[in-house]
Amino acid sequence: MRLPSVPGPAVSGPADPQTDRARRSQRLVRRSRVLSYVLAGLGVVVLSFAPSVLGEPTTDTGRVLLQVVRPVVAGVLIVAALAVQVVVGITWRRDLLQPADPTPDAPADPPAPGSPQV
């Protein structure tokens, strides 16, 4: 059985730049949040490995190294999750402070009084 298709909203003219920026911002925040959760989850999983999973550390030098590296890898993953949030927050704030529709024809600064007009 096929469901009837519902027509989407009619799009007339160019997209609103403000709406487009908001959608991009929401998509960026959502994706970064998912990435952070995945990184933090991996860090917790690595950290929660019991020593018995990796073997008895007294029998092999490699297993001792795994026991030492395990918390370091978990810490790096958790710090990476935090770094993703910081970078996205900085990017989001920078984009928020930019003007929505800059006019390219306008001069950057008005000429100073008394300066020669070019």
Side-chain angles (χ1 to χ4, degrees):
M1 181 174 171
R2 193 166 178 211
L3 296 175
S5 63
V6 178
V11 178
S12 61
D16 181 23
Q18 189 71 17
T19 306
D20 187 42
R21 281 179 50 186
R23 284 186 185 141
R24 259 186 288 135
S25 176
Q26 288 174 351
R27 192 170 42 243
L28 176 70
V29 168
R30 190 179 315 119
R31 287 179 181 172
S32 70
R33 195 174 294 154
V34 169
L35 178 62
S36 291
Y37 285 145
V38 168
L39 287 171
L42 283 174
V44 168
V45 167
V46 168
L47 192 58
S48 69
F49 281 154
S52 60
V53 172
L54 300 173
E56 190 60 39
T58 58
T59 60
D60 189 12
T61 308
R63 297 196 194 281
V64 172
L65 184 61
L66 280 174
Q67 292 300 326
V68 172
V69 170
R70 180 178 55 98
V72 173
V73 170
V76 166
L77 287 170
I78 292 171
V79 167
L82 179 64
V84 165
Q85 289 301 305
V86 168
V87 167
V88 168
I90 290 171
T91 303
W92 177 78
R93 182 174 165 86
R94 186 187 66 223
D95 289 345
L96 188 66
L97 295 176
Q98 286 180 350
D101 189 19
T103 55
D105 297 334
D109 291 325
S115 66
Q117 299 287 330
V118 177

